Every structure is written in structure tokens, then in C-alpha cells.
Amino acid sequence: MLEVKNLTKRYGEFWAVQNATISLNPGDIMGFIGSNGAGKTTTIKMLATLLEPTSGEAYLDGMSLNSDDLAVRRKIGYMPDFFGLYENIRVWEYLDMFATMYAVPKTERPGVIDQVLELVDLRFKKDAMAQSLSRGMQQRLCLARCLVHDPLLLLLDEPASGLDPRARAELKRLIAELGSMGKIVIVSSHILPELADFCSVV
């Protein structure tokens, strides 16, 4: 489970996040609501171990997120609000690169890549160039990248940003499915109705 206790980030006199406390179990999908600048991304970056908190504690599956232990990072999948795709790389190569970084055994990587592409409904684009995908498909590819190492916690920062209504509906279905698989999912947004359909916690 994820336990966050009094997580705080301060920049000089400015409190970006103050005493955030969260408790989530496998299968929980949490909608993280707040206006732009409210501290959602800062909180998510602290949980992703990309930003050191000023104070407070966070534990995932009994392991401190404040440690530099690589085993902690292997339990986390982080999808930022803005992400880049490398030029001249195919969809499967993009996923293979991240699977390699997460030490997925070479013999298992082809099967893992097929599984995550099937999950995000991109199997038919396996050999396509990543930059040729539509915005919605690129979002799903980024989500697939977060899944190659089978993390327990998924941190999705404004994942529906810039998507058309159909792509948003597909993303909602996918996030709900990830919750049913036993993942802990945190989805940030500043639009409450966007999260109301599939979140179990707000």
C-alpha cells in the first residue's frame, strides 16, 4: 500500500505542498484535484522520487520513497504532463529501451512489450515510428512505457491533457482497467468531471 504522511515541500518562504497525507491500497484509483499551481505536480514528483521533500514521509509496499534504493523506483511508473518522444525510433524500440533501463531480462522483453501494447491497444502500431502517432496514441505509448516493469504505483500527471473526447474516453477505460489489475493509480487533473467516472478516491 501507499502511505504518505505530512509530505511537505517548501521553497524559501513559499509552501508548494504542506502536510499532504494519503493512504491508498492496491486497486485504488485516486483523483488528485486542484487548480493550476496548487501543488499537484510537485506532490507527484516527490512520490516519483524526482524531488526531495522538505519534510514528511512516504512509503510504498513498506519501502521509503525518500531512499535512493533502485528497488523503490522499480515499483513506480511515472507519466509526466509533458513528455518527449525520440526521433527515428519505432514503438517497440521505444518500449524495449525503457524495459532495458528497468532491467527486464532480455528474453522476457518481447513478451512484455507485446503485453503492454495489447493493454493500451497499440499492438497494430508496434513497428510504426513513435513520432508518427496521433496525440492520443502517443499518450497511450507513454503509459505503456510506464508499465513495462510492472509497477505497483502509477503516477499520471494530467494524462488527458490535449486529448479529444474519444481519446479521453479510451484513456479513462484504460485507467479503470489498471485499477482492476491491482495497481495503485494517482491521476491529477484540474477538471473534476474528468475523474468522476472511474476514480474510487478523490
Side-chain angles (χ1 to χ4, degrees), residues 75 113 172 194:
K75 292 179 179 286
I113 290 168
K172 286 180 183 180
E194 187 174 274

Side-chain angles (χ1 to χ4, degrees), residues 46-194:
M46 287 191 285
L47 296 179
T49 75
L50 297 174
L51 194 60
E52 188 174 350
T54 303
S55 61
E57 299 175 328
Y59 295 90
L60 178 63
D61 204 22
M63 303 175 73
S64 172
L65 295 183
N66 295 352
S67 74
D68 289 328
D69 194 335
L70 286 176
V72 174
R73 294 195 173 102
R74 289 197 176 107
K75 292 179 179 286
I76 301 169
Y78 168 57
M79 181 175 171
D81 50 351
F82 295 105
F83 59 91
L85 292 174
Y86 300 98
E87 293 184 10
N88 302 318
I89 189 169
R90 298 189 185 280
V91 165
W92 75 265
E93 292 172 324
Y94 179 77
L95 296 176
D96 185 70
M97 177 177 66
F98 282 94
T100 301
M101 290 178 186
Y102 279 104
V104 176
K106 187 174 183 178
T107 55
E108 296 178 18
R109 289 202 297 264
V112 167
I113 290 168
D114 284 344
Q115 286 173 6
V116 296
L117 285 175
E118 188 73 36
L119 182 64
V120 301
D121 196 23
L122 282 179
R123 188 88 177 263
F124 69 107
K125 290 289 188 179
K126 181 178 179 178
D127 293 312
M129 303 305 290
Q131 285 198 321
S132 73
L133 302 181
S134 69
R135 170 71 176 172
M137 289 181 182
Q138 287 183 0
Q139 292 282 76
R140 283 186 276 149
L141 176 59
C142 185
L143 185 52
R145 181 206 78 195
C146 298
L147 296 170
V148 292
H149 57 296
D150 193 25
L152 172 59
L153 173 64
L154 283 169
L155 303 167
L156 312 180
D157 195 0
E158 301 275 2
S161 175
L163 298 187
D164 62 35
R166 181 177 177 179
R168 284 172 183 260
E170 291 173 350
L171 188 64
K172 286 180 183 180
R173 175 198 58 78
L174 179 55
I175 293 171
E177 188 172 347
L178 291 169
S180 70
M181 293 168 60
K183 307 289 185 191
I184 301 171
V185 186
I186 297 179
V187 188
S188 77
S189 178
H190 59 278
I191 305 171
L192 181 58
E194 187 174 274

Side-chain angles (χ1 to χ4, degrees), residues 31-45:
F32 198 33
I33 311 293
S35 59
N36 292 329
K40 301 186 302 296
T41 294
T42 300
T43 302
I44 285 175
K45 283 185 175 180

